[in-house]
Amino acid sequence: MSDFTVNIFQQRGSSYQNGLRLGRELNGTRIPQTFEMITRPEIDTDNLKAIYRSFAPHLLDELEGLADGMEIPWSRAAALFSGYDVPRPIALGCSAMLTDAYYVRNYDFSPELYDSYFSLIQPAKAFATAGYNLQALGRHEGVNQHGLVAGLHFVSNNGYTTGISAWTAIRMILDTCATVSEAINMLKEIPHAACYNFSMGEEGGNAVVVEASPDNVEVRHAPTFLTCTNHFQDNSLQHKNRPDFIHSVDRHTYIQTIGEKKLIQEESFDHFRDKTSPLFYMDYDDLTFSYGYVDARILTAIAQSDQVLDIEFDDWVAGKDISEQQLRGTIEQRKML
């Protein structure tokens, strides 16, 4: 058993300032050292810039801030943190349930590949967002000031190619898209590196799963209830699933039974983080995130912890910072790197 801590990062200002402060916090930590082990020494920065300018140009400023904060060249920061041309990552399970009232999900990953940061940021030229960092600039999932919530779910590396990581895609849609429809359109245009599901929802029960591969994107819709795990369901994409996706199917089936109980947000949130649940891995870190559309309420917690971060996100967007600085939990840790 070992303790696990997530830092809470709150920042308002320009994208450059956001990156500068985060870069200073990350400088000398395990995070850049970890990504030095799994990223390429150099990437095609001209192509990276072209993609970013098309979808989220402000993130180029944030990368510049990260570089200055870490006191490294911009090209090195781009290779480490941009989420472009990243070698095939190790991935585990992510499960989500979307209703007309809330979004809830948990996900499991080696703790060594977590940034251990939960960020609430309000850039000058992008939407305010809240979510867990991955590769500094990217996000596992999150919500923006318009109530658009989204998360990623690894499917496979079938057809893996040079492109944008799913966690960078999540960041781009949260920063720049106000609606599910806008996010769908962006995900159809982003050059995806691998096969991922993107679960997304907004107030009014508009829930979708975008099933995205490097060469095809399909969308699943549902009016009031939708589930998402780690396999494609569209017939045109099922051949891209991993051979061993039975656990993903089992979790999907199990979540269907949860939906039949018509639980409120807090009940579903507690179920998703219950260590006795089939959705929980004991030997990986488990993070649970939920967002309620009507009251703009974020609930999040980390593995085996009684501490729940409860945020009224509209209040935060209006300028009221939260007092918490960290989340703490416990994990039975197994070495992955």
Side-chain angles (χ1 to χ4, degrees):
M1 302 287 285
S2 60
D3 294 334
F4 190 76
T5 301
V6 170
N7 298 305
I8 297 172
F9 180 84
Q10 301 181 77
Q11 177 69 25
R12 308 174 197 271
S14 70
S15 292
Y16 174 82
Q17 291 169 333
N18 293 344
L20 181 67
R21 184 184 156 205
L22 183 58
R24 287 171 174 168
E25 289 199 15
L26 297 180
N27 200 4
T29 70
R30 64 164 184 82
I31 295 172
Q33 297 171 3
T34 296
F35 287 107
E36 282 176 0
M37 297 170 58
I38 61 174
T39 57
R40 305 185 194 284
E42 297 180 353
I43 61 172
D44 185 342
T45 55
D46 288 339
N47 199 28
L48 165 68
K49 289 178 181 178
I51 295 170
Y52 271 45
R53 285 170 183 152
S54 295
F55 299 106
H58 67 284
L59 292 181
L60 291 172
D61 296 332
E62 186 164 326
L63 272 175
E64 183 179 353
L66 277 169
D68 289 349
M70 296 193 64
E71 301 178 347
I72 58 176
W74 185 90
S75 60
R76 189 72 192 110
L80 282 172
F81 302 122
S82 69
Y84 174 76
D85 197 12
V86 180
R88 303 175 187 186
I90 299 170
L92 264 177
C94 308
S95 305
M97 183 173 77
L98 298 85
T99 75
D100 55 359
Y102 59 84
Y103 173 105
V104 60
R105 92 183 209 110
N106 69 357
Y107 51 94
D108 306 274
F109 225 87
S110 166
E112 298 174 44
L113 295 179
Y114 275 132
D115 284 17
S116 304
Y117 270 84
F118 180 82
S119 289
L120 299 105
I121 63 171
Q122 192 169 37
K125 295 183 179 180
F127 298 143
T129 63
Y132 284 97
N133 297 36
L134 177 54
Q135 206 178 359
L137 186 142
R139 297 291 185 269
H140 287 275
E141 85 297 290
V143 64
N144 69 19
Q145 68 188 67
H146 295 284
L148 173 66
V149 60
L152 60 82
H153 307 251
F154 176 74
V155 173
S156 75
N157 285 316
N158 193 311
Y160 197 92
T161 188
T162 300
I164 289 292
S165 68
W167 46 95
T168 300
I170 290 287
R171 178 68 188 280
M172 287 177 168
I173 63 177
L174 291 176
D175 277 21
T176 65
C177 298
T179 66
V180 164
S181 178
E182 290 177 6
I184 290 172
N185 290 337
M186 180 174 285
L187 288 171
K188 288 181 176 180
E189 297 296 327
I190 285 176
H192 299 283
C195 296
Y196 274 82
N197 286 325
F198 296 87
S199 56
M200 302 190 296
E202 62 187 351
E203 186 174 359
N206 188 14
V208 304
V209 171
V210 175
E211 301 188 348
S213 74
D215 54 11
N216 190 21
V217 175
E218 300 292 341
V219 183
R220 289 195 288 123
H221 296 267
T224 59
F225 181 80
L226 192 62
T227 64
C228 184
T229 52
N230 298 96
H231 63 284
F232 288 147
Q233 297 186 34
D234 189 274
N235 289 335
S236 68
L237 289 169
Q238 288 187 16
H239 67 285
K240 293 184 178 295
N241 288 327
R242 287 170 287 175
D244 56 344
F245 66 94
I246 185 63
H247 190 265
S248 177
V249 174
D250 289 344
R251 281 183 284 120
H252 166 76
T253 303
Y254 180 73
I255 298 170
Q256 293 282 337
T257 68
I258 300 175
E260 294 171 359
K261 298 177 181 179
K262 306 295 183 183
L263 304 179
I264 63 173
Q265 181 185 3
E266 292 90 340
E267 291 171 329
S268 289
F269 175 77
D270 287 341
H271 194 83
F272 266 64
R273 70 191 190 99
D274 183 351
K275 66 181 181 181
T276 66
S277 164
L279 305 176
F280 192 97
Y281 286 90
M282 288 297 293
D283 54 354
Y284 292 92
D285 188 42
D286 178 280
L287 290 166
T288 308
F289 177 93
S290 179
Y291 179 76
Y293 302 122
V294 176
D295 54 4
R297 184 186 184 192
I298 296 171
L299 297 174
T300 188
I302 60 177
Q304 303 187 60
S305 173
D306 293 329
Q307 181 188 8
V308 175
L309 188 62
D310 190 338
I311 305 170
E312 294 182 4
F313 191 50
D314 282 349
D315 288 347
W316 190 90
V317 173
K320 183 180 179 181
D321 285 351
I322 62 173
S323 60
E324 292 86 352
Q325 296 182 347
Q326 288 185 328
L327 288 168
R328 293 182 176 88
T330 304
I331 179 176
E332 296 178 10
Q333 190 169 344
R334 184 170 67 191
K335 192 85 170 174
M336 292 290 289
L337 293 178

